[in-house]
Amino acid sequence: YACERKGAVRQIAQLNAQLREANTNLQDIAQHDPLTGLLNRRGLDDKIAVETKRAHRAGSDMMALFIDCDDFKLVNDVHGHTIGDQALQAIANVLKKAVRPTDHVARVGGDEFLVLLLDIRSADAMAVAEKIEEGVRAQQIASPAGWVRISCSMGCCPVGGADTLDLIIRHAEKALKQSKALGKDMIS
């Protein structure tokens, strides 16, 4: 009986370890975009809840960059969704390289991204936005129909009292719409 019990305890411990690993994998899947590997809306919303509390306690500033690819529907229509997916992955790589490890980058829509810059001044956030804009412009995706060049419009704003993703997007979207209205491929 003791040997059977010891074997059962060992088996339960192994099953518990497998269950913990499966839960960790599910959490990762639930919070990340499968195409780009960036946070998704749910993942970013979780980060915002933590970071707004931290920023409030520390008295630090947070800035949001809301990024929308210009004329992206045309890329998909002319070159196909596979090329469009490659373009989104290229943009995601630019975003990851442009920010610090402590910042958060998410794909929040089809061709929309949000970057949450922590503990940063407005002028420094604009420098990050310019780095992103230049990096995106430099991307060229090979297509059977020729090279695909992409650009993006951005809205940059302080997070202020916004403590949810929807509020942050609402604030940043105003600046983004200004960039679109002024001719796209710019930062407002």
Side-chain angles (χ1 to χ4, degrees):
Y1 174 76
C3 290
E4 285 179 24
R5 185 171 185 267
K6 189 175 183 180
V9 168
R10 191 175 315 134
Q11 186 178 13
I12 289 171
Q14 288 173 342
L15 290 172
N16 280 334
Q18 290 171 351
L19 182 60
R20 280 191 299 276
E21 184 179 343
N23 282 335
T24 300
N25 289 339
L26 285 174
Q27 178 100 12
D28 188 59
I29 290 168
Q31 293 190 338
H32 289 86
D33 174 55
L35 178 67
T36 62
L38 299 176
L39 290 170
N40 61 20
R41 289 181 79 95
R42 179 182 292 131
L44 185 59
D45 214 21
D46 290 349
K47 299 290 184 192
I48 288 169
V50 171
E51 295 298 351
T52 53
K53 289 176 187 172
R54 186 195 60 76
H56 183 66
R57 277 193 315 271
S60 60
D61 296 327
M62 289 192 304
M63 298 290 290
L65 302 176
F66 191 40
I67 301 154
D68 183 63
C69 300
D70 296 327
D71 304 315
F72 198 74
K73 183 179 179 338
L74 189 61
V75 172
N76 281 331
D77 290 348
V78 171
H79 301 281
H81 289 277
T82 301
I83 300 300
D85 287 351
Q86 289 176 14
L88 292 172
Q89 290 167 332
I91 292 167
N93 288 333
V94 168
L95 294 173
K96 288 183 228 179
K97 290 177 184 172
V99 301
R100 302 166 297 185
T102 54
D103 298 325
H104 302 290
V105 182
R107 181 177 175 206
V108 294
D111 64 334
E112 297 173 333
F113 300 87
L114 192 123
V115 177
L116 188 63
L117 301 169
L118 308 175
D119 195 23
I120 194 167
R121 297 181 319 226
S122 180
D124 295 331
M126 285 300 288
V128 172
E130 289 167 3
K131 184 177 178 181
I132 290 169
E133 186 179 41
E134 290 169 12
V136 169
R137 255 193 234 127
Q139 298 302 304
Q140 294 185 27
I141 313 298
S143 159
W147 290 99
V148 177
R149 296 178 82 60
I150 45 181
S151 66
C152 61
S153 298
M154 268 185 265
C156 179
C157 74
V159 171
D163 60 353
T164 67
L165 179 57
D166 289 335
L167 281 174
I168 292 170
I169 288 176
R170 198 172 308 142
H171 292 301
E173 197 168 31
K174 291 176 187 174
L176 173 66
K177 286 181 180 180
Q178 185 178 2
S179 291
K180 294 283 190 182
L182 293 173
K184 303 178 184 175
D185 193 20
M186 62 177 41
I187 307 161
S188 296

